[in-house]
Amino acid sequence: MAAHSVPEGCLKMQILPRVWPLTPRAACTHGRALVRRSLVVQAHGDSAATATTSVSAAAHQTPSAPSFQYFLNSVNKPSFASANTPADPGARKVYIETYGCQMNVNDSEVLLSVLADNGYAQTQQDTDADVIFLNTCAIREQAEQRIWSRLAVLKKLKNKNKERPPVVGVLGCMAERLKIKLLESDRLVDLVAGPDAYRDIPRLLDTIEGRASTSGRKHEGAMNVQLSTEETYADILPVRPAGSVSTYLSIMRGCNNMCSFCIVPYTRGRERSRPLQSILEEVQILSQQGIKEATLLGQNVNSYADDSALLGQPKSSQADPDADPFAVYARGFQSVYKPKRSGTVSFAELLDAVASVDPEMRIRFTSPHPKEFSDEVLQVIARRPNVCKQLHMPAQSGSSSMLERMRRGYTRQAYDDLVQHVRELVPGVSLSTDIISGFCGETEEEHLDTLDLIRKTQYDQAFMFAYSEREKTHAARHLEDDVPPDVKSRRLQEIIAAFRDGQLKQFQAEVGRTHLVLVEGFSKKSDAQLSGRTDTMKRVVFDAVPVPTHHMAAPSDQLVSLKPGDYVAVEVHACTSGTLFAKPLAKTTLQAYAAAHAVSGIDEPPVEQRQAAVMC
């Protein structure tokens, strides 16, 4: 159970920083239709060399109005080109720490790819680095304070090496939010770049170190925090950790929802989606690399709407003024903006297409908004065995009056109706949520409404935190943060307790059931046990023993050892409030397991058996 989180626009918090080995990457040359780019690649190190790469969408000409089937057919014709140039032994070394959400993890991987193309090599030690980047989160004050503390430590490192101090850069949402303040912070920071400026970082580094100037004069700081209405990094294949069985894949960026508490639209900009074909190509490459689970990322991931096929086309005639602009949403949901979906590839179409690339690869997505769970999306989730039956449905509050102040676009009744509808269409679905405690003007009655929501819905996972005011947001400008800290804290503890009670009941219900688990590695406590996650995102621990190759194996059949990336059928025999303990039954495949075990056909063990198996 996680007791802290971020609004859904910022995805979920991770225990970071993370560092990756820098390896050659492949570059996707497919971008938005009719877009042409010319990139100057400047090599760094003792022997600098210059190369020019032209990326033209003309190389991938499509019909004037390409069909959805066109994109599906072209998945077998990837336009990614391998770049296998080894790193220069004299290359400058870069060290990256990543804080915050999964999108930041993916952004760091994108930056590593950009830097690799410009001759940089990664180091695992900040003391060995020529350049140190902190990729940051700005969703709460506590997240920013961690960065200021880390910068103070890095200043000491710079002072120890005055002859050649490392360049220190702050990237991401905090860079976008604080901008000049970071550069003026007693020279703690040399470079500031927002989340849409990663292509420009090699030039910014050249500017700081004098290589971009004919005079060779160095600059004390460089900054690019301009937000883009088009940047999706669709033509850059991220540098991912070697040997991983799961990974993240960005499909859209930005958020239009403008919830009153959320800073994301101001640090990440407006929504824009990657072309479908570029996503399918990257998924195909991940499949070829042996990835078994891909999580589609976006600040508002299920609002994906690829309009690349519409570029260069005449604008359609004015829409029917009497038509409901929110008909594309789940029933009872609205937004502060009118979605433009006509002629675009929808999230349901994308999800279906991605799932079809490799039926043995699990597909997840985060972070969604409840309004975008249309019947079309839910039907894809229910129909595709490899689309995970775990949905994040951020409620934020259980009070309609509070939801109105939050500008969420729905009532408590609409949310309850959607939860019931989801559980009807997707049997066995697991639900998670986000909850804010102590938002502006929250009364005790509104808090009790939230407790009621948590108790009735019984989420499998929840991300809960006390409200933290952020500058520029609607709430900061128009509402008063008037709930005392001690009241926020007390209410948060009550929310956590209510969630834990429901979570334990959800985990108890799993005892006696069979699940398909993707093996991730050894458990944290013992090398004699393996761990992995179910389709519904529950952690499972089981003995690392040889197993049959299929359910119907005879006792004399050969046994095999499990390794990361394998699928194994398990039977749950015990649980805590956050972990399932199981007996491994047999190694299997995702499709074979799906054919033999319909979610709606899971046997329900007696309640007494489930409760007796709970481990304290």
Side-chain angles (χ1 to χ4, degrees):
M1 192 280 296
H4 301 283
S5 180
V6 297
E8 67 269 19
C10 257
L11 317 176
K12 299 281 88 60
M13 298 296 289
Q14 303 294 300
I15 300 175
L16 298 171
R18 279 183 66 177
V19 184
W20 298 262
L22 191 58
T23 58
R25 62 102 174 175
C28 173
T29 57
H30 177 80
R32 283 179 171 268
L34 306 179
V35 174
R36 295 176 180 268
R37 295 190 184 95
S38 180
L39 306 177
V40 177
V41 180
Q42 175 69 49
H44 296 273
D46 295 334
S47 56
T50 303
T52 302
T53 303
S54 296
V55 181
S56 172
H60 303 279
Q61 294 183 4
T62 64
S64 57
S67 66
F68 179 61
Q69 189 60 45
Y70 167 84
F71 290 113
L72 286 180
N73 293 339
S74 59
V75 71
N76 293 320
K77 303 174 183 178
S79 59
F80 290 91
S82 178
N84 295 314
T85 304
D88 185 339
R92 295 176 58 72
K93 297 177 182 178
V94 61
Y95 173 85
I96 302 180
E97 289 183 1
T98 304
Y99 298 82
C101 66
Q102 294 101 318
M103 184 64 85
N104 276 4
V105 174
N106 185 256
D107 281 356
S108 290
E109 294 171 346
V110 167
L111 176 58
L112 284 175
S113 186
V114 171
L115 293 174
D117 279 357
N118 284 266
Y120 284 82
Q122 192 191 25
T123 176
Q124 303 294 325
Q125 302 294 330
D126 56 4
T127 55
D128 190 39
D130 300 294
V131 180
I132 299 173
F133 286 126
L134 305 183
N135 197 354
T136 64
C137 173
I139 198 63
R140 289 181 292 149
E141 184 178 357
Q142 181 182 7
E144 292 187 355
Q145 288 302 320
R146 291 180 65 194
I147 301 302
W148 286 115
S149 298
R150 182 68 174 121
L151 289 173
V153 173
L154 292 177
K155 182 181 180 181
K156 296 179 181 178
L157 179 62
K158 294 179 74 171
N159 290 337
K160 288 182 179 179
N161 189 6
K162 293 186 177 181
E163 292 185 1
R164 193 179 176 85
V167 173
V168 174
V170 172
L171 315 176
C173 293
M174 184 173 170
E176 186 66 41
R177 195 180 85 80
L178 297 180
K179 302 180 178 73
I180 300 296
K181 183 178 180 180
L182 286 164
L183 288 179
E184 294 178 345
S185 57
D186 194 23
R187 296 191 179 182
L188 294 177
V189 177
D190 306 295
L191 184 152
V192 176
D196 293 343
Y198 298 138
R199 296 180 193 270
D200 194 38
I201 284 179
R203 184 192 66 83
L204 297 177
L205 289 170
D206 284 351
T207 299
I208 292 171
E209 298 179 341
R211 289 189 295 272
S213 171
T214 55
S215 65
R217 183 174 64 86
K218 297 183 179 182
H219 295 261
E220 291 186 354
M223 178 174 67
N224 184 345
V225 292
Q226 182 155 356
L227 290 174
S228 170
T229 59
E230 294 187 354
E231 181 64 85
T232 63
Y233 300 109
D235 60 328
I236 297 176
L237 189 67
V239 171
R240 294 183 167 95
S244 296
V245 299
S246 61
T247 194
Y248 302 126
L249 191 159
S250 173
I251 66 167
M252 60 84 67
R253 299 174 74 86
C255 182
N256 294 345
N257 288 323
M258 305 298 292
C259 299
S260 60
F261 54 81
C262 189
I263 192 69
V264 169
Y266 303 95
T267 60
R268 289 282 183 171
R270 297 296 181 259
E271 291 176 9
R272 61 272 191 199
S273 300
R274 281 180 62 179
L276 171 66
Q277 185 178 351
S278 76
I279 296 170
L280 296 181
E281 290 171 349
E282 188 169 346
V283 173
Q284 187 179 54
I285 287 176
L286 295 176
S287 174
Q288 294 168 350
Q289 293 173 343
I291 294 296
K292 290 298 184 68
E293 183 177 275
T295 301
L296 309 181
L297 295 182
Q299 273 80 29
N300 193 27
V301 67
N302 53 348
S303 69
Y304 175 90
D306 171 22
D307 63 356
S308 60
L310 302 178
L311 295 180
Q313 301 297 314
K315 291 186 177 181
S316 59
S317 57
Q318 188 172 0
D320 181 359
D322 296 326
D324 180 6
F326 306 120
V328 296
Y329 293 159
R331 184 176 301 176
F333 287 73
Q334 298 182 354
S335 60
V336 297
Y337 67 98
K338 294 181 179 180
K340 298 178 181 179
R341 304 291 171 81
S342 178
T344 65
V345 177
S346 70
F347 181 69
E349 292 172 317
L350 166 77
L351 193 60
D352 197 43
V354 167
S356 71
V357 173
D358 182 353
E360 289 298 316
M361 182 191 295
R362 278 181 172 173
I363 304 299
R364 302 187 187 274
F365 57 88
T366 198
S367 183
H369 191 287
K371 73 179 190 300
E372 303 284 357
F373 282 117
S374 64
D375 280 4
E376 291 78 11
V377 171
L378 296 176
Q379 287 163 4
V380 172
I381 295 169
R383 185 178 73 253
R384 289 283 187 179
N386 60 329
V387 177
C388 292
K389 310 303 184 282
Q390 187 272 327
L391 302 184
H392 190 59
M393 296 181 60
Q396 307 299 359
S397 174
S399 163
S400 291
S401 55
M402 177 66 77
L403 291 169
E404 183 176 3
R405 289 203 298 282
M406 290 179 167
R407 305 210 302 179
R408 292 291 289 170
Y410 54 88
T411 64
R412 164 68 182 275
Q413 185 62 55
Y415 184 90
D416 285 344
D417 290 346
L418 178 60
V419 168
Q420 180 179 349
H421 188 56
V422 166
R423 285 176 165 160
E424 290 172 352
L425 288 187
V426 188
V429 69
S430 169
L431 300 181
S432 59
T433 195
D434 291 345
I435 297 292
I436 296 176
S437 165
F439 182 67
C440 304
E442 184 184 57
T443 65
E444 197 65 26
E445 182 179 1
E446 289 171 331
H447 168 61
L448 292 176
D449 286 342
T450 298
L451 292 177
D452 178 70
L453 170 70
I454 293 171
R455 291 177 179 130
K456 288 183 177 179
T457 307
Q458 294 198 350
Y459 298 99
D460 290 271
Q461 189 174 17
F463 302 88
M464 304 153 282
F465 60 98
Y467 172 63
S468 175
E469 185 179 84
R470 299 282 81 191
E471 293 178 299
K472 296 185 179 180
T473 62
H474 177 87
R477 289 181 285 115
H478 300 287
L479 301 175
E480 183 179 356
D481 183 11
D482 55 358
V483 180
D486 61 326
V487 175
K488 288 182 182 179
S489 178
R490 188 259 301 170
R491 290 176 180 173
L492 177 60
Q493 294 307 311
E494 292 175 358
I495 287 170
I496 292 172
F499 161 69
R500 282 177 171 165
D501 288 343
Q503 185 191 40
L504 179 59
K505 294 177 182 177
Q506 293 296 99
F507 274 65
Q508 286 176 340
E510 299 291 354
V511 176
R513 290 179 175 173
T514 300
H515 278 284
L516 180 68
V517 172
L518 176 61
V519 180
E520 297 176 352
F522 290 111
S523 72
K524 294 181 179 179
K525 294 184 178 180
S526 173
D527 287 350
Q529 292 181 312
L530 295 170
S531 71
R533 294 188 185 274
T534 66
D535 174 277
T536 53
M537 203 61 176
K538 294 181 175 67
R539 172 70 63 186
V540 182
V541 174
F542 50 95
D543 289 339
V545 296
V547 296
T549 56
H550 55 87
H551 279 306
M552 304 304 293
S556 59
D557 286 357
Q558 182 179 4
L559 302 180
V560 295
S561 296
L562 297 168
K563 62 183 184 302
D566 286 341
Y567 287 111
V568 58
V570 304
E571 181 179 352
V572 179
H573 60 73
C575 72
T576 65
S577 60
T579 302
L580 302 178
F581 297 89
K583 173 186 176 181
L585 301 177
K587 181 180 178 181
T588 184
T589 66
L590 193 156
Q591 292 299 306
Y593 183 89
H597 297 80
V599 174
S600 58
I602 293 176
D603 293 332
E604 287 285 355
V607 173
E608 295 80 5
Q609 176 186 339
R610 297 200 299 267
Q611 292 178 340
V614 175
M615 302 174 63
C616 298

